[in-house]
């Protein structure tokens, strides 16, 4: 049984709109944009990059922040934004030679002005925000805040429950990697040159693969890597693969017909990225690119077409937001989109699970990344359930949650239906209750009772996992905090996080 995925920096600084996804106008060459108006023009200009972004998805101030980025993707040249600023020589050269920013405008000045006028005229001055009606302090869980001695400030990049042995894998921005037991005592420790964002047990249960992101901040310098080690002692460390493009998610699974375990890695990247699988040949891990696209952030192994091999359900979180399944035929993959989402939702996590007991797996999605050009509270951020109906996925439930980041679906209360836990990194910290942690108790027929934890105010929760941490037979929850590099948060909250640092919150299930 492989460790579950939970990687982190798919959450930070994701992009959206034309400004953050490679565009192509090839399919629309026969259309004259000067003859288009309003929505038709917007669909032409941005629809080849991602789904059409409605004007009401941002207020006017939000569009003013986005427009300079969008302009460069269309070959326009606003003076207010330089896409090469603060880039290394390597990154600047890759950007310039890639054609991401066209050398000549794809729209005339008049068409561009019509596009701007459309978004400005049809967007509101501000969002109408409503505080969700939540119940306090779920009785099912006993909260415990945990302070660790690995680093002074909470800067977690990895939090993974060992589903078979209990305890957790812990990683942080300083490159610390530790295995903590059920008393949160360190049992194994290693120091790596870059943050570990994912771990995966190999088939023999002792080989542990470590995914290193490289540089944390958005970049296109390929400094990530994969390291292997002994799970029982975290030594020796062996570099398996380097020069990865800001990787954030990894699974170990058999991909082709040789019965050998392979690795599949999502290179989130920034402007460039890819989904690849790696095969061990003559002692070297050889890469096969499945798809070149930035922003793929979670991989779930599933035999979707029930033909006996491993397909991949993949979350797309960067501009071209949605969910795809990559159908595997002996190592050759064909992509099929399962769900398309607006490019500004900030989609950041996915669970693939049967929510209504009909035998078909549904999609549960957290949308709330706000690390872009529009750091605003958005009323459409939250948790969504899409039920599978035939070949389509139908939107069937929405729980508003500002900045929703992680989602875990389990039958936490063991009453026969699936409950939901969610955490938010970009929460509304102006509220005294800090509703950044929600437990959605399923009352039947997808009717949920939303409950929040008072302890949510003790950290800024970026990683989360659910499982039997204490090995007592029920499903616990752990969340980890990241409090550096924070903007738009009041001083009192920041000072509380830094003066009384809490790295983890353990929500101990009291069922057993």
């Amino acid at each position: 049984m492989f460790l579950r995925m939970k990687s982190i920096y798919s959450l930070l600084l994701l992009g959206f709109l034309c400004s953050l996804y490679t565009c192509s106008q090839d399919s629309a060459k026969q259309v004259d944009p000067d003859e288009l108006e309003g929505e038709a023009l917007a669909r032409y200009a941005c629809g080849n990059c991602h789904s059409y972004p409605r004007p009401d998805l941002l207020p006017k101030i939000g569009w003013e922040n986005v427009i300079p980025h969008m302009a460069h993707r269309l070959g326009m040249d606003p003076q207010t934004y330089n896409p090469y600023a603060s880039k290394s020589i390597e990154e600047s050269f890759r950007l310039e030679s890639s054609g991401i920013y066209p050398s000549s405008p794809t729209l005339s000045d008049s068409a561009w002005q019509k596009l701007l006028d459309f978004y400005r005229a049809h967007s509101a001055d501000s969002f109408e925000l409503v505080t969700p009606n939540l119940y306090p302090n779920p009785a099912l869980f006993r909260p415990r805040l945990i302070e660790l001695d690995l680093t002074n400030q909470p800067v977690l990049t990895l939090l993974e429950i060992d589903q078979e042995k209990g305890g957790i894998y812990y990683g942080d921005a300083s490159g610390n990697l530790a295995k903590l037991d059920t008393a949160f005592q360190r049992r194994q420790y290693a120091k790596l040159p870059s943050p570990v964002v994912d771990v995966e047990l190999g088939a023999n249960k002792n080989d542990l693969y470590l995914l290193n992101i490289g540089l944390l901040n958005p970049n296109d310098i390929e400094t990530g890597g994969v390291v292997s080690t002994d799970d029982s002692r975290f030594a020796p460390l062996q570099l398996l693969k380097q020069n990865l493009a800001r990787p954030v998610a990894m699974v170990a699974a058999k991909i082709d017909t040789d019965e050998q375990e392979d690795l599949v890695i999502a290179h989130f990247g920034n402007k460039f990225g890819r989904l690849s699988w790696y095969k061990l040949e003559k002692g070297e891990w050889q890469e096969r690119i499945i798809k070149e696209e930035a922003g793929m952030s979670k991989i779930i192994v599933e035999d979707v077409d029930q033909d006996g091999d491993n397909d991949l359900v993949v979350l797309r979180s960067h501009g071209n937001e949605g969910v795809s399944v990559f159908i595997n035929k002996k190592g050759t993959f064909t992509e099929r989109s399962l769900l398309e989402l607006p490019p500004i939702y900030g989609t950041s996590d996915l669970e693939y699970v049967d929510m209504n007991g009909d035998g078909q797996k549904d999609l549960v999605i957290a949308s709330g990344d706000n690390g872009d050009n529009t750091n605003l509270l958005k009323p459409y951020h939250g948790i969504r359930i899409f039920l599978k109906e035939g070949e389509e996925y139908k939107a069937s439930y929405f729980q508003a949650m500002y900045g929703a980041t992680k989602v875990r679906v389990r039958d936490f209360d063991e009453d026969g239906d699936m409950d939901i836990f969610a955490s938010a990194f970009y929460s509304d910290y102006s509220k005294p209750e800090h509703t950044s942690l929600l437990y959605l108790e399923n009352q039947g027929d997808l009717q949920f009772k939303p409950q929040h934890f008072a302890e949510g105010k003790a950290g800024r929760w970026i990683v989360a996992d659910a499982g039997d941490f204490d090995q007592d037979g029920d499903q616990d929850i752990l969340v980890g905090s990241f409090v550096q590099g924070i903007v738009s948060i009041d001083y009192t909250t920041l000072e509380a996080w830094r003066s009384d640092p809490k790295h983890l919150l353990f929500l101990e299930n009291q069922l057993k």
Side-chain angles (χ1 to χ4, degrees):
M1 176 180 178
F2 299 123
L3 289 173
R4 296 185 63 258
M5 301 299 301
K6 81 282 110 214
S7 55
I8 164 187
Y9 277 92
S10 53
L11 318 176
L12 287 176
L13 302 171
L14 307 189
F16 59 93
L17 301 174
C18 297
S19 62
L20 295 175
Y21 183 67
T22 302
C23 304
S24 171
Q25 298 291 338
D26 291 345
S27 62
K29 283 183 177 179
Q30 303 305 314
V31 177
D32 183 357
D34 288 324
E35 298 179 356
L36 301 177
E37 302 284 343
E39 182 178 327
L41 177 59
R43 289 184 179 275
Y44 170 87
C46 292
N48 288 311
C49 307
H50 44 63
S51 60
Y52 160 61
R54 304 188 318 269
D56 63 349
L57 289 175
L58 284 177
K60 287 182 171 57
I61 189 173
W63 287 117
E64 294 305 322
N65 290 333
V66 167
I67 283 168
H69 298 261
M70 184 167 65
H72 279 284
R73 285 297 184 128
L74 296 173
M76 318 306 287
D77 187 23
Q79 301 300 310
T80 55
Y81 168 67
N82 177 7
Y84 301 101
S86 304
K87 302 292 184 185
S88 67
I89 294 176
E90 177 187 348
E91 286 183 284
S92 297
F93 178 80
R94 289 192 69 192
L95 283 171
E96 189 168 4
S97 61
S98 70
I100 284 179
Y101 302 118
S103 58
S104 60
T106 60
L107 296 177
S108 66
D109 289 342
S110 61
W112 173 245
Q113 189 60 51
K114 285 193 296 182
L115 183 65
L116 299 185
D117 291 343
F118 171 68
Y119 276 94
R120 287 165 175 160
H122 291 83
S123 55
D125 291 331
S126 62
F127 280 139
E128 182 178 349
L129 301 176
V130 178
T131 301
N133 183 25
L134 306 174
Y135 297 87
N137 302 325
L140 181 61
F141 298 97
R142 181 169 74 96
R144 290 172 54 196
L145 289 163
I146 308 296
E147 182 177 352
L148 302 175
D149 61 359
L150 288 165
T151 54
N152 180 34
Q153 295 297 321
V155 285
L156 273 74
T157 60
L158 167 72
L159 186 61
E160 176 81 14
I161 294 176
D162 186 331
Q163 305 289 346
E164 295 186 358
K165 303 174 186 176
I168 56 169
Y169 297 92
Y170 163 101
D172 65 30
S174 298
N176 294 307
L177 174 71
K179 179 71 179 293
L180 308 180
D181 64 17
T182 56
F184 298 100
Q185 299 301 306
R186 189 191 312 182
R187 289 294 175 255
Q188 289 105 257
Y189 173 82
K191 178 77 170 181
L192 287 98
S194 79
V196 178
V197 294
D198 201 7
V199 295
E200 184 82 351
L201 270 176
N204 68 2
K205 310 295 184 179
N206 201 48
D207 290 336
L208 185 68
Y209 300 108
L210 313 174
L211 187 65
N212 294 255
I213 193 172
L215 297 176
L216 282 178
N217 291 334
N219 69 87
D220 285 301
I221 306 173
E222 298 186 343
T223 57
V226 179
V227 172
S228 69
T229 192
D230 185 323
D231 183 52
S232 64
R233 57 195 181 100
F234 286 7
L237 298 174
Q238 179 183 2
L239 180 63
L240 301 184
K241 199 70 182 178
Q242 58 184 337
N243 300 325
L244 303 187
R246 202 161 167 252
V248 298
M250 169 180 64
V251 293
K254 295 175 182 177
I255 296 300
D256 54 10
T257 59
D258 64 2
E259 296 302 310
Q260 176 179 275
E261 186 173 66
D262 307 299
L263 296 176
V264 183
I265 295 176
H267 301 247
F268 189 93
N270 185 29
K271 300 296 190 295
F272 310 97
R274 61 189 183 273
L275 178 70
S276 299
W277 72 280
Y278 294 81
K279 181 179 177 64
L280 187 60
E281 294 180 324
K282 298 179 180 179
E284 298 290 334
W285 289 89
Q286 302 297 328
E287 180 181 15
R288 274 94 164 153
I289 296 176
I290 300 171
K291 184 175 184 180
E292 294 199 58
E293 179 179 307
M296 297 191 207
S297 60
K298 186 165 185 175
I299 309 165
I300 298 170
V301 176
E302 183 82 18
D303 186 5
V304 174
D305 58 1
Q306 299 183 346
D307 66 349
D309 54 18
N310 287 317
D311 307 309
L312 308 172
V313 178
V314 177
L315 181 66
R316 311 189 315 265
S317 298
H318 196 29
N320 185 29
E321 295 188 26
V323 181
S324 290
V325 59
F326 291 85
I327 299 297
N328 181 14
K329 299 297 182 184
K330 300 179 181 180
T332 298
F333 290 89
T334 301
E335 182 182 9
R336 184 173 80 237
S337 175
L338 300 183
L339 184 68
E340 297 296 318
L341 294 170
I344 199 169
Y345 265 28
T347 305
S348 54
D349 203 8
L350 165 71
E351 291 274 68
Y352 185 59
V353 61
D354 184 1
M355 290 299 298
N356 58 356
D358 66 354
Q360 299 188 99
K361 291 200 172 182
D362 309 301
L363 305 175
V364 183
I365 289 177
S367 297
D369 180 76
N370 236 357
D372 47 36
N373 305 301
T374 60
N375 189 12
L376 305 167
L377 296 176
K378 300 181 174 76
Y380 46 79
H381 277 175
I383 305 300
R384 288 176 171 81
I385 298 174
F386 296 87
L387 295 181
K388 190 173 192 298
E389 296 185 0
E391 295 302 314
E392 304 296 325
Y393 288 85
K394 180 182 177 182
S396 303
Y397 175 82
F398 172 67
Q399 171 64 51
M401 185 183 193
Y402 299 128
T405 299
K406 286 296 186 182
V407 61
R408 291 292 178 265
V409 178
R410 305 285 191 278
D411 185 3
F412 289 106
D413 54 10
E414 298 186 12
D415 65 351
D417 51 30
M418 304 304 287
D419 310 300
I420 298 173
F421 171 80
S423 62
F425 184 65
Y426 294 96
S427 186
D428 182 2
Y429 297 103
S430 68
K431 303 296 183 184
E433 61 270 22
H434 289 199
T435 53
S436 56
L437 304 172
L438 293 185
Y439 172 55
L440 306 181
E441 181 184 351
N442 196 339
Q443 308 286 291
D445 297 324
L446 298 188
Q447 300 297 311
F448 293 89
K449 179 181 178 181
Q451 303 160 70
H452 73 91
F453 298 83
E455 291 76 13
K457 65 183 179 182
R460 195 180 189 201
W461 310 110
I462 193 167
V463 286
D465 201 14
D468 191 3
F469 166 80
D470 53 13
Q471 299 290 281
D472 66 352
D474 53 26
Q475 294 287 299
D476 308 302
I477 299 167
L478 279 148
V479 288
S481 181
F482 192 104
V483 301
Q484 287 187 0
I486 299 170
V487 296
S488 302
I489 296 177
D490 64 277
Y491 176 79
T492 301
T493 300
L494 284 174
E495 184 60 24
W497 289 343
R498 292 167 177 167
S499 62
D500 186 20
K502 303 300 181 187
H503 297 74
L504 304 174
L505 174 60
F506 175 36
L507 301 175
E508 182 182 2
N509 195 323
Q510 299 295 288
L511 197 63
K512 297 177 182 178

